[in-house]
Amino acid sequence: MISFTKESSILNFVMTIFHVVFFGFIIIAGFLKGSAKNLVNPDGLAPFGVKGVLDGAAQVYFSYIGYDSVSTMAEEINNPSKSLPVGIMGSVFIVSGLYCLMSFALCMMLPYNQIPEKASFAIAFQRMGWKWASNVVGAGASLGIVASLLVAMLGQARYLCVIGRARLVPLWLAKVHPSTGTPLNATLFLGAFTASIALFTELEIVVDMVNLCTLLVFYLVANALIYRRYVITVNNPPFHTLLFLSLLSCSSIAFSLSWKLKQWWGLPLFGGIMIIITACFHYFVPYPNQPSKWSVPFMPWPAAMSIFLNVFLMTTLKKLSLQRFGVWSCLIILFYVLYGVHSTYRAEEMGMDAGDVNPNSSAQQTKLDIQLL
């Protein structure tokens, strides 16, 4: 499995170099051929105000879904307790910087009201008179989409494999290739499922659903981080932590609805409530143990901020997206109730360990025991 992962990493490294060169070309061309006047004309630096910036942040949130793919490779890397935090934080900073520079370059090439919604960079180069560059950008964007799909499937297949070990989905999906040790069945299933969605679903619908699901996952991770740090790690009573998480979520929802409905009096009220309850929780429920080297610092403030931001961004998405997500969630819950619960219960009755699917599961489980929280 390690050999197979090394071969994959070489391919990813080559594609990464290509993308860095590709992005560098766009950024340099935008700065050299663009004009700073396009940043402020015709309607100023932020023509849609703060609301436009926040709405745009929710729309492109799917761009940050790839970082969790790093964590799914814990079974297939050496020294994950050190490599994973460095890889995740490094990729976040580097890619965020590239996103900002590319957006800045695009806004210098064209005024905001002339930037098309589709194929923005290709059309921007075309309008600049660089038709050859437009073709290069289009080809590079297509390759980037393929690379993103491969990376997403790489992580999702490992998620599905682990869920299969727990018997929440059919055990067939947890089978791994005998020579490479990779989740072959889960990869094939996800490939066919992803292709079907791409064939029959509009891109806007998929993007909105991915944005919402990503925000919800990050919201749940922030809640789990606080619960693990203040309850599981130190064996504190769970009541105070659960009460804090409930009040924080409710006040975040109230703040977000006040913003959406333009009830400005609610912003300082619910914003102040969030700060007060977080400060009270930090003071009355201290964390007595020293965190490990890679633990999140200044808890619970970073996780509380993450909870608020994810709730806030979720409310900025379209109402139809929330409705679609509700229908999809009901289907998943129905599948869990009708199949997952009974399947895991039968596995426990039979005395079957979820890790027995893979003969190397004990070694892999040891590598998964990473104290990042």
Side-chain angles (χ1 to χ4, degrees):
M1 179 167 57
I2 295 178
S3 175
F4 180 82
T5 304
K6 286 183 178 180
E7 295 175 359
S8 301
S9 66
I10 294 174
L11 177 60
N12 288 331
F13 178 76
V14 173
M15 297 185 70
T16 300
I17 294 297
F18 168 79
H19 283 106
V20 170
V21 174
F22 176 70
F23 296 151
F25 167 74
I26 294 176
I27 294 170
I28 294 173
F31 276 80
L32 292 179
K33 301 296 293 185
S35 173
K37 294 181 180 179
N38 292 331
L39 297 174
V40 294
N41 291 326
D43 298 318
L45 188 61
F48 298 102
V50 177
K51 187 178 185 301
V53 174
L54 296 174
D55 290 345
Q59 289 293 326
V60 300
Y61 210 80
F62 70 94
S63 303
Y64 287 84
I65 196 173
Y67 301 119
D68 61 343
S69 298
V70 179
S71 62
T72 63
M73 301 298 294
E75 293 187 356
E76 303 171 46
I77 61 176
N78 294 319
N79 194 13
S81 60
K82 180 179 180 180
S83 301
L84 286 181
V86 173
I88 293 174
M89 291 188 294
S91 60
V92 167
F93 286 120
I94 294 173
V95 175
S96 297
L98 288 175
Y99 274 137
C100 294
L101 289 174
M102 289 187 66
S103 301
F104 195 68
L106 178 63
C107 292
M108 289 185 66
M109 286 191 285
L110 290 176
Y112 83 94
N113 57 348
Q114 297 182 22
I115 298 176
E117 294 183 1
K118 300 179 180 179
S120 302
F121 286 98
I123 295 178
F125 278 105
Q126 198 172 43
R127 292 180 179 177
M128 287 172 53
W130 291 17
K131 188 174 182 180
W132 64 270
S134 175
N135 296 330
V136 171
V137 169
S142 300
L143 183 60
I145 293 174
V146 173
S148 300
L149 288 174
L150 291 175
V151 172
M153 285 182 56
L154 184 71
Q156 294 298 325
R158 280 144 182 83
Y159 283 139
L160 197 59
C161 181
V162 173
I163 295 173
R165 293 176 187 172
R167 308 303 197 273
L168 292 173
V169 295
L171 184 60
W172 176 82
L173 293 170
K175 298 292 184 179
V176 297
H177 194 276
S179 59
T180 62
T182 54
L184 177 62
N185 292 346
T187 302
L188 293 175
F189 172 79
L190 281 172
F193 188 71
T194 303
S196 300
I197 293 177
L199 184 62
F200 298 106
T201 309
E202 295 182 6
L203 180 60
E204 183 180 358
I205 296 175
V206 175
V207 169
D208 287 341
M209 288 291 290
V210 171
N211 284 328
L212 187 52
C213 292
T214 305
L215 289 166
L216 180 63
V217 168
F218 288 173
Y219 164 80
L220 294 175
V221 168
N223 280 271
L225 175 60
I226 294 177
Y227 189 85
R228 175 181 171 82
R229 177 71 64 88
Y230 288 93
V231 177
I232 297 178
T233 305
V234 297
N235 295 320
N236 284 331
F239 173 76
H240 299 92
T241 303
L242 292 175
L243 179 62
F244 165 66
L245 293 175
S246 300
L247 293 175
L248 182 62
S249 296
C250 291
S251 55
S252 299
I253 293 173
F255 182 95
S256 304
L257 292 178
S258 298
W259 172 274
K260 192 175 184 65
L261 300 176
K262 297 183 180 181
Q263 301 294 323
W264 308 123
W265 58 268
L267 301 183
L269 174 62
F270 297 113
I273 290 175
M274 285 187 289
I275 296 175
I276 291 173
I277 61 177
T278 305
C280 291
F281 179 79
H282 179 65
Y283 179 78
F284 291 108
V285 188
Y287 183 73
N289 298 337
Q290 288 292 331
S292 61
K293 182 179 179 181
W294 295 106
S295 296
V296 178
F298 310 114
M299 285 290 288
W301 295 98
M305 186 181 300
S306 177
I307 291 173
F308 162 70
L309 289 176
N310 286 297
V311 170
F312 183 82
L313 292 176
M314 277 191 283
T315 59
T316 62
L317 295 174
K318 299 176 182 178
K319 181 180 179 180
L320 188 58
S321 300
L322 298 173
Q323 293 173 348
R324 291 193 184 105
F325 179 77
V327 173
W328 179 252
S329 299
C330 291
L331 293 176
I332 295 298
I333 294 173
L334 187 64
F335 176 83
Y336 172 73
V337 172
L338 297 180
Y339 178 85
V341 173
H342 304 287
S343 180
T344 53
Y345 181 73
R346 285 196 302 269
E348 291 179 358
E349 276 190 331
M350 296 172 62
M352 298 171 62
D353 187 3
D356 291 342
V357 177
N358 189 352
N360 299 323
S361 61
S362 59
Q364 293 174 351
Q365 188 63 32
T366 301
K367 298 185 78 174
L368 279 173
D369 190 17
I370 307 166
Q371 299 298 326
L372 293 177
L373 305 181

